[in-house]
Amino acid sequence: MKKSRENMLCRCSHILWILILCEAVSGDYVMKAVNSETAFTPVSGSVDPSTTSITWKHRDNAGVVVKVIEWDREDDSTEIPNPKFRSHASLDKHTGELTLRHLQLKHTGVYTLDINSKEQRKQFSLTVIEPVRKPYIKKECELGDVPKCSLSCDDDGGPSESTVVWMSSGETLHRRDRNTRTITVTESSDPENSYTCTLKSAVNEETSDPVYDRELFHDSFEISDIAIIIAIVIPVVLLLILFIW
């Protein structure tokens, strides 16, 4: 009975320590695109009227800490001491909310808030990444006995942290592999059948213009037919001219 109580007491102690640690350091994680904006608000959602100073700090991935913006009640002034936050940071002195606009990669890091020179327990982690660009489809076709085309989803060297979704007339292709940049397609019975590729990242997604079966196969056949006709007609015309001459 005694051991059972000791075990229960030990478990309760572990749980208590976990709760204390979670309470001591809590925070939000945000991922945003370059040139977008975000805002960080203190836990309370407001600042006590007796507050004399508010300071937001930024720690980058190298561990370097700088002041983002600071407000002092004595002269009711707001300063942005670090150049990389000028024209980006603004502060609501009534709520303590920090707003960052026109985000850049250099703004990635952890943000903390000091109120009356005392660091608050909540931290805010921000990661800024390049958004994906609108892709386009490159095509290479082989018009043999079984015509087929290789379609590649290209974005001219955009972010690599993106997944690819291929669609064919509303149906998803290659559901199990979202990293397939190139697919091979064959002619369908519907010339209006289309293909698109969508690039998705954690912050945005972009879809290419559609490519139609008629562009891949039927137009090619028409050009081929014209070439054959020209190849036959020109010699015949030349022979007729020579015969008449």
Side-chain angles (χ1 to χ4, degrees):
M1 188 72 174
K2 185 177 180 180
K3 287 184 178 180
S4 176
R5 288 179 179 175
E6 288 177 351
N7 289 336
M8 185 175 292
L9 181 61
C10 185
R11 289 174 185 172
C12 290
S13 298
H14 287 163
I15 293 171
L16 180 61
W17 273 112
I18 291 171
L19 291 174
I20 290 172
L21 288 172
C22 290
E23 181 68 16
V25 179
S26 62
D28 293 340
Y29 176 76
V30 179
M31 187 173 285
K32 291 289 184 177
V34 168
N35 289 324
S36 64
E37 70 175 66
T38 192
F40 301 137
T41 306
V43 177
S44 61
S46 62
V47 174
D48 191 278
S50 63
T51 298
T52 58
S53 66
I54 301 172
T55 304
W56 280 95
K57 296 178 182 178
H58 170 255
R59 184 175 73 247
D60 64 18
N61 292 337
V64 178
V65 178
V66 297
K67 290 181 179 180
V68 177
I69 194 168
E70 54 185 343
W71 169 79
D72 186 82
R73 177 178 292 278
E74 186 174 347
D75 53 7
D76 195 24
S77 64
T78 300
E79 294 185 10
I80 304 175
N82 195 280
K84 73 178 180 181
F85 288 102
R86 288 172 191 159
S87 75
H88 296 282
S90 62
L91 175 70
D92 185 328
K93 64 184 181 182
H94 301 292
T95 64
E97 181 177 80
L98 168 67
T99 300
L100 297 172
R101 296 181 175 84
H102 312 297
L103 288 168
Q104 302 299 311
L105 299 177
K106 63 186 177 183
H107 296 138
T108 291
V110 176
Y111 292 79
T112 56
L113 172 64
D114 288 4
I115 294 180
N116 297 337
S117 300
K118 181 180 179 182
E119 184 174 309
Q120 306 301 293
R121 70 175 185 274
K122 190 170 184 179
Q123 298 181 344
F124 303 85
S125 295
L126 171 66
T127 299
V128 183
I129 64 174
E130 292 282 357
V132 294
R133 307 166 185 167
K134 181 177 178 176
Y136 60 93
I137 297 177
K138 293 196 301 186
K139 49 187 182 289
E140 293 183 10
C141 297
E142 297 177 8
L143 304 177
D145 294 335
V146 181
K148 60 182 179 180
C149 289
S150 176
L151 306 182
S152 298
C153 190
D154 203 331
D155 61 344
D156 289 330
S160 58
E161 306 85 2
S162 58
T163 57
V164 186
V165 178
W166 284 95
M167 301 286 288
S168 175
S169 294
E171 293 186 7
T172 303
L173 307 175
H174 300 277
R175 289 179 181 273
R176 294 183 179 180
D177 188 358
R178 292 300 180 93
N179 292 314
T180 304
R181 286 272 180 155
T182 302
I183 64 172
T184 300
V185 299
T186 56
E187 183 182 9
S188 71
S189 59
D190 181 9
E192 295 304 311
N193 181 54
S194 64
Y195 299 93
T196 61
C197 70
T198 299
L199 293 181
K200 293 185 176 184
S201 73
V203 294
N204 75 319
E205 63 178 67
E206 293 284 350
T207 300
S208 69
D209 293 328
V211 172
Y212 294 90
D213 251 39
R214 66 173 184 271
E215 301 171 10
L216 298 174
F217 303 105
H218 299 280
D219 287 352
S220 299
F221 285 136
E222 289 172 7
I223 293 171
S224 178
D225 291 341
I226 291 171
I228 292 171
I229 292 170
I230 291 173
I232 294 173
V233 169
I234 288 178
V236 171
V237 170
L238 290 174
L239 285 172
L240 286 172
I241 291 172
L242 288 173
F243 179 75
I244 294 169
W245 183 261

